Amino acid sequence: LRLLLEDPEVDSVMVILPPPPMYSAGGVARAMIPIIYAADKPVVVALMGERLIQEAVEHFRSARVPEYRFPERAAAALAVLWQRASSLEQALDTAPTLADIAHDVAQAAVAAAPARQADAPCFLPPEAIHALLTAYGLQAPPQRLARSAAEAVDASRAMGLPVALKLDAPTVTHKSDVGGVVLRLATEAAVAEAYDAIMARLAAARPEAEARGALVQPMAPPGQEVILGALQDPQFGPLIMFGAGGVEVETQGDVDFALAPLGRRAAEALLQRTVAGRRLAGTRGHPPSDREAVIDALIRLGRLAADFPQIAEIEINPLIVLPDGQGALAVDARARLA
């Protein structure tokens, strides 16, 4: 054991200790404890057996040396130590200063939340979310609220076809569940028809829900869809989420988390831990997407989450990542206040 701990090539040691034939397990434990204490490397012990190891268990526990019944658990403990060391190294990767943030605009957007009613969740209205994201340098397409089919047609004419229509109902958090999203509307007649259809589907699925109207957005160009999110964890504070977006977030579960605010290395590691992040580099038949724009968006969303702990969660789904060098667009988002 001493030779292993003195070896510069050894980072940590796991000792598997079966009941020895000539010496008691307790005696071996007493001999090992001073060597473990003198080492500057982590040591864990796996004790194999039942009655013959009880004395060793008591010695190790009183000396606060980690001991386990199976080698797999001991190895898992060393793996967690390594993950913790990696996390501490990433903590040195400080988040960059973002000088272009419009804090006053962001604060006004958060203050625009409607009055909270009883125990109902409090979601920011779409125009406040749009202002919040753009204040932090996150690119989002323009949008207009239409309260009638005629207003939707006027908005589409001003923006230019094709457009997308999205239901705006404060109590409906997932618009697609009630048929509240219609894409690629190429004519004014299709816009008017889609508006009336959205309102009819809402009335059939959620008759108690009150709609403010529908948001009109220009259709975003095609790209890879990813999800970005942030939430306030009671133990760890603000966390950032990244993964496959669109409908894939429900079916694939390809998401991972990082502490916020995060620096570039942490953002890159978050991408590398997900299939969606690795896919940004390009796959067979698909050119590379704008990976740098995603890293920038993660850093900016992490700063937003750290600056506004009153935002319990915010989700951008999807963030459409355009081809390399062309940026990324937050085409849909929601935010809930604590």
Side-chain angles (χ1 to χ4, degrees):
L1 177 62
R2 185 180 288 111
L3 289 174
L4 283 173
L5 292 172
E6 291 174 352
D7 188 337
E9 299 297 322
V10 175
D11 294 324
S12 59
V13 175
M14 178 177 70
V15 179
I16 302 176
L17 185 63
M22 297 179 60
Y23 303 97
S24 70
V28 174
R30 285 195 303 270
M32 290 173 59
I33 288 171
I35 300 173
I36 294 172
Y37 266 46
D40 58 356
K41 302 173 183 178
V43 178
V44 296
V45 179
L47 289 167
M48 310 290 289
E50 290 293 338
R51 289 177 296 175
L52 295 177
I53 65 168
Q54 289 307 310
E55 184 183 356
V57 169
E58 295 172 4
H59 286 310
F60 282 129
R61 288 184 179 176
S62 62
R64 303 185 69 82
V65 174
E67 47 83 23
Y68 302 88
R69 290 297 166 274
F70 298 98
E72 295 84 355
R73 296 292 300 276
L78 288 178
V80 171
L81 285 177
W82 178 84
Q83 292 170 1
R84 174 61 175 163
S86 299
S87 177
L88 290 175
E89 287 181 2
Q90 287 186 7
L92 300 176
D93 176 31
T94 56
T97 301
L98 302 173
D100 58 346
I101 294 175
H103 288 281
D104 53 341
V105 175
Q107 289 171 351
V110 174
R116 193 184 188 100
Q117 298 181 358
D119 294 329
C122 181
F123 289 92
L124 284 178
E127 59 270 20
I129 299 174
H130 189 276
L132 182 63
L133 295 179
T134 55
Y136 270 76
L138 291 155
Q139 300 301 311
Q143 61 184 27
R144 283 177 57 177
L145 176 63
R147 301 182 184 277
S148 67
E151 288 187 8
V153 169
D154 291 340
S156 67
R157 186 181 300 125
M159 291 181 177
L161 296 164
V163 297
L165 252 62
K166 300 177 181 180
L167 172 68
D168 182 4
T171 59
V172 180
T173 56
H174 296 287
K175 298 180 283 292
S176 58
D177 290 349
V178 295
V181 179
V182 184
L183 306 177
R184 292 178 286 277
L185 297 168
T187 67
E188 293 182 1
V191 172
E193 183 180 345
Y195 184 96
D196 291 337
I198 286 174
M199 297 305 156
R201 286 193 288 266
L202 176 65
R206 296 278 300 276
E208 80 287 355
E210 182 179 352
R212 296 201 313 159
L215 293 172
V216 184
Q217 288 183 341
M219 276 299 300
Q224 181 178 336
E225 294 188 359
V226 299
I227 183 172
L228 273 64
L231 60 90
Q232 302 291 336
D233 185 89
Q235 293 183 340
F236 297 102
L239 296 177
I240 287 293
M241 175 189 67
F242 172 82
V247 297
E248 290 185 351
V249 69
E250 304 286 347
T251 59
Q252 295 188 9
D254 176 39
V255 296
D256 211 324
F257 294 84
L259 297 174
L262 70 171
R264 180 180 179 86
R265 283 191 298 172
E268 289 179 334
L270 190 56
L271 297 186
Q272 196 59 33
R273 293 196 299 268
T274 58
V275 175
R278 297 191 295 272
R279 194 187 301 162
L280 292 170
T283 57
R284 184 179 303 173
H286 297 279
S289 301
D290 198 334
R291 188 172 183 271
E292 287 298 319
V294 178
I295 291 174
D296 182 68
L298 284 169
I299 291 172
R300 291 179 180 276
L301 189 63
R303 172 53 62 189
L304 189 157
D307 290 347
F308 288 93
Q310 63 267 48
I311 299 178
E313 60 178 339
I314 183 168
E315 179 185 289
I316 301 172
N317 185 28
L319 179 79
I320 296 183
V321 190
L322 304 177
D324 195 15
Q326 298 183 28
L329 292 173
V331 298
D332 202 2
R334 65 188 185 102
R336 180 177 62 84
L337 297 185

